[in-house]
Amino acid sequence: MQAILEVRSEPGNLRFSDRGQACAPLLELVQKYLGDRTRSYSTPGHKGGPGVPEELRTLLGDSAFASDVWFNTSDLESALSEAEQLAADAWGAETAHFLVNGATSGNLALLMAQSNPGDKVILGRDAHRSVLAGVIATGAEPVFVAPRLHSDLSMSLGIEPDDIDAVIEIHPDAKLVVVTSPTYHGVATDIGRIAETAHRANLPLFVDQAWGAHLPFHPSLPISAMEAGADACVTSPHKTLSAFSQGSMLLLQGDRINADRLRSSLRFAQSTSRNFPILMSLDATRRQMALQGWAHMELTMALAARARAGIRSIPGVSVVDAERLGLPEKQFDATRLVIDTAGLGLDGFTVERVLREEFAIAPEMSDLTGIVCLITLGDTRASIDALVDAMSCIAKDFGGRGHLDNHEMNRSVGSAIAPGDM
């Protein structure tokens, strides 16, 4: 990631190039709106909170509704444009588009911008359903490339560049290459080599990097799609960073993507009533990571390492990481905690159920062999230790006895451990 932290302290209305990454244009716009005690005669109908049911306002707090405002003015477009350019710089792109409908809307828009009916689109068979929806909506013809699988774990090892090359030779009339990296389990594809392969055939490369918003901010993490040479990618700060749910971005560089058509496609794929708290959270997350991203990721990876060490100490439980998958360190996201529970005789679905019902711990997902937990900048030593302690209890009480029945499920396996501060 390029050094982008130049900040000047002059007061007043400074240009983007003068203000640097320490500013937050969308946050500042709402702060001014609230500071002016503006009376709303527009959407949203709750008018900053007075119209909200009391129980909902009590749960979410007054500020959540006070900041849910709307601007139908040039001030919004100016602030949004500045915020998006700051985000483009922070993520190493030329252009950024904020998305309030998640990475799904970016996937749909990109496919609509780059595909016509009958166009061939080369894509990994592990593509998100929104990519498949984009192919269906545009009438494009998918040409699937299957990811390689680990021989024992049957886990995706990502798309091989040589497989993309082979498919391009068979389908030289293809219009676009789409891959997913990192995967749900944290495996990163060699985007650099795939980009070289696609570009030799004059094809744009689009990467679904929804699970990799944090990648540009530490050199020990897998290389980000933009740095690796992709033409476009979606990334979701709400998944692994601190933005609100549905807060994502579409990043672009170079001239292989039809930028004008993409802007039109984004208007089709997104709500015209963009949620301002989501936009603000993207702006704030960008500032947070641009100014302090390395430190946040350093701590996050240390906490993930602590979690892996703790899990490895539990008999019958193991972790899946780069070494176990036979991958280079840079092809696995060290913040992803993949826990293999097969040695306990328990599938991941059962383990997730126990964690949720007995320990109030919510994993990201579960499958036949284990669970996946996200370790992020929101974690602390206490939250990591709570997970390790819960897994230790499960291994002690239920390990080796197969699936739990309802009677066993209701047994007390220890008190729930509430995450606290570090």
Side-chain angles (χ1 to χ4, degrees), residues 200-211:
R200 278 199 303 269
N202 199 30
L203 291 177
L205 171 63
F206 174 51
V207 179
D208 183 344
Q209 198 156 85
W211 290 101

Side-chain angles (χ1 to χ4, degrees), residues 86-398:
L86 286 163
D89 291 347
W91 269 267
E94 293 176 6
T95 305
H97 297 281
F98 283 1
L99 307 172
V100 297
N101 298 94
T104 289
S105 58
N107 286 334
L108 289 170
L110 196 288
L111 266 294
M112 287 191 286
Q114 290 297 122
S115 304
N116 293 310
D119 284 349
K120 292 181 180 179
V121 175
I122 298 171
L123 68 155
R125 196 62 185 87
D126 56 352
H128 189 263
R129 62 185 180 184
S130 60
V131 174
L132 303 179
V135 171
I136 293 170
T138 61
E141 178 185 339
V143 179
F144 290 113
V145 181
R148 304 284 177 96
L149 298 179
H150 188 275
S151 57
D152 296 326
L153 298 169
S154 296
M155 187 177 294
S156 169
L157 299 179
I159 303 294
E160 281 292 321
D162 290 344
D163 293 341
I164 295 289
D165 194 22
V167 171
I168 290 176
E169 286 190 17
I170 299 171
H171 300 277
D173 54 341
K175 303 297 184 182
L176 177 67
V177 176
V178 183
V179 298
T180 301
S181 178
T183 68
Y184 215 26
H185 291 89
V187 175
T189 292
D190 190 343
I191 298 299
R193 285 183 56 203
I194 292 179
E196 292 174 0
T197 296
H199 294 164
R200 278 199 303 269
N202 199 30
L203 291 177
L205 171 63
F206 174 51
V207 179
D208 183 344
Q209 198 156 85
W211 290 101
H214 58 301
L215 298 186
F217 300 101
H218 200 286
S220 296
L221 293 168
I223 189 170
S224 70
M226 290 289 98
E227 187 179 352
D231 301 282
C233 81
V234 288
T235 195
S236 294
H238 79 90
K239 291 184 182 294
T240 58
L241 296 177
S242 56
F244 281 162
S245 289
Q246 296 182 211
S248 299
M249 295 185 295
L250 179 58
L251 306 173
L252 307 172
Q253 63 186 358
D255 58 4
R256 294 185 181 89
I257 300 296
N258 188 330
D260 290 336
R261 185 167 167 178
L262 179 61
R263 281 189 289 270
S264 297
S265 297
L266 282 167
R267 287 194 285 270
F268 280 102
Q270 288 214 93
S271 170
T272 57
S273 301
R274 290 171 289 188
N275 180 281
F276 217 89
I278 294 177
L279 293 175
M280 284 194 302
S281 73
L282 287 170
D283 196 22
T285 298
R286 180 273 313 158
R287 179 169 66 178
Q288 177 186 41
M289 297 308 293
L291 299 180
Q292 303 164 339
W294 184 91
H296 282 300
M297 289 301 100
E298 185 81 357
L299 177 58
T300 299
M301 287 189 293
L303 289 172
R306 180 184 180 91
R308 284 192 293 274
I311 295 297
R312 286 193 178 103
S313 71
I314 302 172
V317 185
S318 60
V319 296
V320 178
D321 55 11
E323 181 180 4
R324 186 165 177 195
L325 292 174
L327 296 172
E329 290 291 335
K330 290 277 285 184
Q331 281 190 242
F332 188 83
D333 179 3
T335 70
R336 199 67 50 88
L337 182 62
V338 183
I339 302 175
D340 184 349
T341 61
L344 297 177
L346 299 175
D347 60 46
F349 306 119
T350 300
V351 171
E352 178 176 0
R353 183 159 54 93
V354 176
L355 286 171
R356 288 180 180 272
E357 297 185 10
E358 296 291 339
F359 295 93
I361 287 176
E364 168 63 29
M365 60 90 72
S366 57
D367 57 24
L368 287 172
T369 60
I371 62 173
V372 175
C373 296
L374 304 184
I375 309 302
T376 74
L377 75 177
D379 276 294
T380 64
R381 184 180 299 175
S383 71
I384 296 301
D385 292 348
L387 174 62
V388 173
D389 289 346
M391 289 301 304
S392 181
C393 286
I394 291 173
K396 178 182 177 181
D397 283 25
F398 299 116

